[in-house]
Amino acid sequence: MLNNNNQISIRFADEFENNLYTLSKKYRRIRADVEPVIEQIQTGNFIGDRIANLGENYFVLKVRVKNSNLHKGKRAGYRLIYQLESPTSILLLTIYSKLDREDISTNEIYGIIAEFNGNEL
């Protein structure tokens, strides 16, 4: 096993923390479902699909996460959205249940990033 001393720092946008808290009331196992994904990202394995149309300055990915409270697979699970700020820094932007909402818009992503950075759009 490779020892990685240059572990990646992960920060949490308020949007992510608020949504995780809200979803945890409905889905009791959400933290256990999300933890392995965050650990994978923290080791440098940037999983997920890049969200298009955000421009060159934003490297944002969307990961499907299985909801173990449901037995429907990843498609009906959560979507975890994160930004690769640098090779050693990740910002978890938001998480939502695919059962509760459709895809997130690029404007919403810009808004979360701007709010985290203390800017307004």
Side-chain angles (χ1 to χ4, degrees):
M1 184 168 185
L2 186 63
N3 185 7
N4 185 359
N5 291 330
N6 299 327
Q7 206 166 37
I8 294 162
S9 70
I10 295 188
R11 300 182 306 158
F12 300 85
D14 289 343
E15 175 91 6
F16 181 89
E17 290 181 339
N18 293 339
N19 289 351
L20 185 65
Y21 176 76
T22 301
L23 288 167
S24 71
K25 292 179 178 182
K26 186 174 181 180
Y27 304 110
R28 296 286 183 197
R29 297 187 208 149
I30 187 170
R31 293 179 196 280
D33 292 340
V34 169
E35 187 176 340
V37 174
I38 293 173
E39 288 174 355
Q40 214 174 345
I41 293 167
Q42 197 165 31
T43 63
N45 184 8
F46 304 127
I47 57 176
D49 298 320
R50 185 167 183 189
I51 297 177
N53 304 325
L54 288 174
E56 292 296 317
N57 295 333
Y58 298 97
F59 197 87
V60 177
L61 295 112
K62 174 172 57 175
V63 180
R64 289 181 175 174
V65 181
K66 185 177 193 270
N67 180 339
S68 62
N69 288 104
L70 305 173
H71 299 288
K72 296 184 179 190
K74 287 183 179 181
R75 183 165 283 185
Y78 311 108
R79 298 301 181 270
L80 187 151
I81 311 294
Y82 69 97
Q83 179 184 16
L84 178 62
E85 296 180 300
S86 75
T88 59
S89 180
I90 298 294
L91 175 60
L92 298 180
L93 297 171
T94 190
I95 186 168
Y96 59 92
S97 170
K98 193 63 175 171
L99 293 178
D100 298 336
R101 69 171 293 177
E102 287 297 315
D103 289 336
I104 189 167
S105 73
T106 54
N107 283 340
E108 286 178 87
I109 293 171
Y110 287 135
I112 296 166
I113 293 168
E115 182 181 311
F116 183 81
N117 291 324
N119 303 328
E120 292 186 18
L121 287 178

